[in-house]
């Protein structure tokens, strides 16, 4: 028996080998299991890394928001809360043309002028009955022409209503040595009222931004520590992903070196198939092919159309079955290196095959350190990175 040439740069799919017993096939199947386990570990590690990326991003955003508010408090103005025209209202500060200072002691009022008007536009269109009169004249003479002219004359009246909003809104702001007003059209209605209400509420607030800044410094420190912790978790998740990637590449390389050529692999799987599976393969293979070929040949010789249609339908059925078998064999038996997460089109196919195989539990073993289940063939635990000895 010629053994597989593991050092040969050519793929075993391209180089035929002699196949005498099942030892090579069993070795290939064992490494195939390692590849599947490593692929599952890699997919899990990728999802964990992506999830940690999202958590880290949220932590960074929270820390940046806390730092920004601390800067605003230390400046004495706080966060901006309302705008109208050139005026900006902060938590503790008011910025209007000619004034920029504390908002305490200010008051605001609003007024409205103008109204909403509905303007109607009436248009009419009259259609003469000359055409109908001509037809009526041909059909019934002068009397028909008169009747056609009366019936064919139409007058369409159309009324369009336009809404004209002439409202104007004004806000007046009065404070210590400051009086300011702003006027705008109907588009600033909500802004004016919101600005007025918030200014009145903030003008009576007694909080000191400097005191709030002291407590906010502690919040920023906590947010920074939380961000650092999330970055550490992200680095750990990235390390696990890289380890899982290296483990998958190693498992795939080992499997590719011992994987049997397609011909020998099919022979080995045929020998290990149950009588039922062999019967189905024969029925849906040579028997079905013979049937549809015979149907088409008979229909060509005897020219009965029904047999030809039956032959064509059976042929299409067999082609679909063969295509399905090829896809399943390529994805499940021979494996493909592309991961489901790297190709969205493969995700549904992999999930279908997993449901198809449901009922055959995967062998697993527990991590000696954390106790979590690790799929058989994994080189390390994706939860705690503890090396796992491969059990065969």
């Amino acid at each position: 028996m010629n053994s597989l040439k593991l050092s040969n740069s050519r793929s075993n799919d391209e180089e035929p080998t002699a196949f005498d017993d099942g030892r090579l096939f069993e070795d290939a199947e064992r490494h195939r299991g390692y590849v599947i386990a490593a692929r599952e570990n890699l997919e899990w590690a990728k999802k964990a890394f992506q999830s940690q990326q999202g958590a880290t991003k949220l932590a960074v955003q929270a820390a940046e928001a806390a730092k920004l508010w601390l800067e605003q408090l230390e400046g004495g103005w706080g966060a901006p809360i309302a705008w109208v025209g050139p005026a900006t209202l902060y938590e503790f500060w008011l910025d209007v043309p000619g004034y920029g200072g504390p908002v305490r002691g200010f008051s605001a009022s609003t007024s409205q002028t103008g109204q909403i008007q509905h303007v109607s536009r009436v248009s009419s269109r009259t259609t003469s009955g000359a055409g109908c009169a001509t037809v009526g004249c041909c059909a019934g003479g002068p009397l028909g022409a008169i009747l056609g002219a009366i019936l064919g004359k139409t007058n369409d009246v159309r009324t369009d209503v336009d809404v004209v909003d002439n409202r104007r809104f004004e806000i007046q702001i009065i404070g210590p040595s400051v009086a300011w007003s702003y006027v705008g059209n109907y588009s600033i209605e909500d802004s004016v009222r919101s600005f007025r209400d918030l200014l009145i509420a903030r003008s009576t607030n007694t909080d000191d931004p400097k005191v709030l800044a002291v407590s906010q410094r502690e919040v920023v420190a906590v947010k920074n520590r939380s961000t650092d912790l999330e970055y550490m978790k992200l680095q750990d998740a990235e390390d696990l992903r890289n380890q899982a990637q290296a483990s998958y590449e190693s498992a795939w390389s080992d499997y590719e070196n011992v994987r049997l050529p397609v011909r020998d692999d099919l022979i080995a799987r045929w020998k290990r198939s149950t009588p039922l599976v062999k019967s189905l393969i024969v029925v849906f293979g040579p028997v079905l092919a013979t049937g549809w070929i015979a149907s088409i040949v008979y229909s060509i010789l005897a020219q009965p159309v029904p047999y030809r249609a039956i032959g064509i339908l059976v042929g299409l059925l067999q082609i679909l079955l063969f295509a399905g078998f090829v896809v399943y064999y390529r994805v499940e038996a021979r494996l493909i290196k592309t991961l489901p997460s790297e190709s969205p089109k493969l995700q549904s196919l992999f999930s279908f095959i997993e449901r198809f195989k449901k009922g055959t539990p995967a062998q697993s073993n527990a991590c000696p350190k954390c106790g979590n289940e690790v799929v058989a063939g994994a080189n390390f635990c994706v939860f705690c990175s503890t090396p796992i000895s491969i059990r065969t």
Side-chain angles (χ1 to χ4, degrees):
M1 180 187 69
N2 296 329
S3 60
L4 291 176
K5 299 178 181 179
L6 303 184
S7 61
N8 197 331
S9 60
R10 295 181 59 188
S11 171
N12 286 332
D13 281 338
E14 301 173 2
E15 182 177 350
T17 63
F19 185 76
D20 296 334
D21 55 30
R23 287 181 299 174
L24 299 178
F25 176 77
E26 296 296 339
D27 189 38
E29 284 296 285
R30 183 170 63 255
H31 283 82
R32 187 176 73 92
Y34 298 160
V35 172
I36 294 175
R39 182 176 65 194
E40 292 177 356
N41 281 347
L42 178 56
E43 290 288 7
W44 185 93
K46 281 188 172 183
K47 291 179 181 179
F49 176 74
Q50 293 173 356
S51 176
Q52 187 57 44
Q53 273 187 320
T56 304
K57 182 178 180 180
L58 292 177
V60 171
Q61 291 175 348
E64 293 296 332
K67 291 177 183 177
L68 176 61
W69 195 43
L70 175 60
E71 294 176 358
Q72 294 168 341
L73 290 175
E74 291 177 339
W77 53 79
I81 56 178
W83 298 264
V84 60
T88 302
L89 175 64
Y90 298 86
E91 291 178 300
F92 308 99
W93 194 269
L94 177 63
D95 188 4
V96 297
Y99 175 80
V103 70
R104 188 178 301 173
F106 275 78
S107 63
S109 60
T110 59
S111 60
Q112 173 186 339
T113 58
Q115 60 183 352
I116 299 176
Q117 298 178 343
H118 296 81
V119 179
S120 300
R121 293 184 294 104
V122 180
S123 59
S124 62
R125 179 182 178 184
T126 302
T127 303
S128 66
C132 294
T134 302
V135 174
C137 180
C138 296
L143 183 60
I146 296 173
L147 184 60
I150 295 174
L151 296 178
K153 185 177 181 180
T154 59
N155 185 21
D156 296 330
V157 180
R158 179 179 178 180
T159 303
D160 296 323
V161 179
D162 295 332
V163 178
V164 180
D165 195 339
N166 294 320
R167 293 178 300 166
R168 305 283 290 178
F169 292 90
E170 181 181 8
I171 181 171
Q172 301 91 26
I173 297 176
I174 301 175
S177 68
V178 177
W180 180 82
S181 65
Y182 178 76
V183 180
N185 58 17
Y186 61 91
S187 63
I188 69 168
E189 177 182 4
D190 294 336
S191 300
V192 164
R193 292 176 178 174
S194 175
F195 196 98
R196 176 200 61 191
D197 296 340
L198 289 173
L199 187 147
I200 293 174
R202 298 306 303 178
S203 66
T204 58
N205 188 279
T206 58
D207 292 336
D208 188 348
K210 302 297 183 181
V211 175
L212 293 177
V214 174
S215 60
Q216 184 61 18
R217 292 190 189 97
E218 299 179 358
V219 175
V220 171
V222 173
K223 296 292 185 182
N224 288 335
R225 289 194 295 270
S226 176
T227 301
D228 294 339
L229 180 60
E230 293 298 330
Y231 270 118
M232 293 176 59
K233 292 181 179 179
L234 180 62
Q235 184 61 48
D236 293 340
E238 185 177 11
D239 292 340
L240 287 177
R241 185 198 61 180
N242 294 337
Q243 293 178 26
Q245 182 70 45
S247 177
Y248 177 69
E249 295 290 343
S250 176
W252 179 265
S253 178
D254 294 340
Y255 169 65
E256 197 170 28
N257 285 331
V258 300
R259 185 169 58 173
L260 295 174
V262 174
R263 172 181 167 275
D264 291 345
D265 186 72
L266 289 173
I267 293 174
R269 294 182 186 281
W270 170 263
K271 291 180 178 180
R272 285 161 176 75
S273 300
T274 62
L276 177 60
V277 173
K278 290 181 179 180
S279 301
L280 292 176
I281 293 175
V282 171
V283 171
F284 289 101
V287 174
L288 194 63
T290 303
W292 73 265
I293 292 175
S295 300
I296 293 179
V297 171
Y298 180 74
S299 63
I300 293 175
L301 297 177
Q303 296 184 352
V305 177
Y307 284 99
R308 186 179 306 173
I310 293 174
I312 293 174
L313 292 176
V314 173
L316 292 176
L317 174 62
Q318 187 175 30
I319 291 174
L320 291 176
L321 290 174
F322 181 76
F325 167 77
V326 170
V327 171
Y328 178 81
Y329 176 75
R330 182 71 181 92
V331 174
E332 179 60 23
R334 301 294 292 179
L335 299 185
I336 53 178
K337 193 174 183 180
T338 304
L339 299 177
S341 60
E342 296 174 349
S343 177
K345 295 181 179 179
L346 289 177
Q347 290 181 358
S348 57
L349 180 59
F350 272 94
S351 61
F352 170 77
I353 292 177
E354 290 300 323
R355 291 194 301 269
F356 181 77
K357 297 190 305 177
K358 192 174 181 180
T360 306
Q363 295 181 353
S364 62
N365 53 317
C367 173
K369 182 177 180 180
C370 66
N372 288 306
E373 289 293 312
V374 181
V375 181
N379 295 330
F380 65 94
C381 175
V382 296
F383 299 95
C384 63
S385 302
T386 301
I388 303 296
S389 58
I390 298 178
R391 302 179 184 178
T392 59

